[in-house]
Amino acid sequence: MATGSVSLTKAMWRGFLGKCPNCGEGHMFGRFLKVADSCDHCGEELFHQRADDFPAYLVMVVVGHLVVPAILAVETAYAPAVWLQLAVWLPVTLFASLALLQPTKGAIVGLQWQIGMHGFEADKLRREAVAPVLVKVNTRAA
């Protein structure tokens, strides 16, 4: 059941929220990082995804670019003990990474779904065939 044309940003946002990129209602994940075989609302197949290590890489880049400057700023301004730095920044890094991992994977699956990567190309062709074609009519006389 296609819901019409879904933009790339909408598909990625739905994935980021853990929802089906097609309908935005069903759940994308069966477990923490296990993508469901299909949407429980519209039946869209999601097992084609091949996110692999890309979401983890993106999370490392984002969290690293947030945590490292904060560590350096605190060290420069206050010079706390090493044990205190470790006690604060290790949990912050762990929780930030875990909090971003599933949404990032969802966004990557939404990206793959919308542009038709891997096994999603047949579904993309089916969606495009069902979507109405808009034709611009030339109203000027030649």
Side-chain angles (χ1 to χ4, degrees):
M1 148 192 321
T3 59
S5 179
V6 177
S7 69
L8 177 62
T9 53
K10 187 177 232 178
M12 289 182 69
W13 180 248
R14 287 175 175 175
F16 187 83
L17 297 176
K19 301 295 183 184
C20 170
N22 185 44
C23 67
E25 298 292 325
H27 300 286
M28 180 181 288
F29 295 97
R31 286 179 276 159
F32 181 62
L33 290 176
K34 173 73 172 142
V35 176
D37 288 339
S38 62
C39 174
D40 55 8
H41 185 263
C42 69
E44 183 73 24
E45 294 178 338
L46 301 172
F47 66 88
H48 304 296
Q49 64 85 24
R50 295 289 177 260
D52 300 328
D53 292 335
F54 188 51
Y57 174 76
L58 289 177
V59 168
M60 287 189 299
V61 168
V62 169
V63 171
H65 278 82
L66 295 175
V67 171
V68 170
I71 292 171
L72 293 173
V74 168
E75 179 63 33
T76 302
Y78 305 107
V82 173
W83 69 267
L84 184 58
Q85 289 268 42
L86 291 173
V88 171
W89 296 113
L90 286 177
V92 166
T93 304
L94 174 69
F95 292 129
S97 298
L98 289 176
L100 285 175
L101 195 53
Q102 186 184 47
T104 304
K105 183 169 183 173
I108 297 302
V109 173
L111 169 84
Q112 292 176 353
W113 175 85
Q114 205 284 333
I115 63 176
M117 289 176 69
H118 308 299
F120 290 121
E121 61 263 355
D123 292 333
K124 182 173 176 71
L125 293 173
R126 177 185 46 80
R127 288 191 311 268
E128 289 174 350
V130 172
V133 177
L134 299 176
V135 178
K136 182 177 179 181
V137 177
N138 189 359
T139 56
R140 294 184 198 176

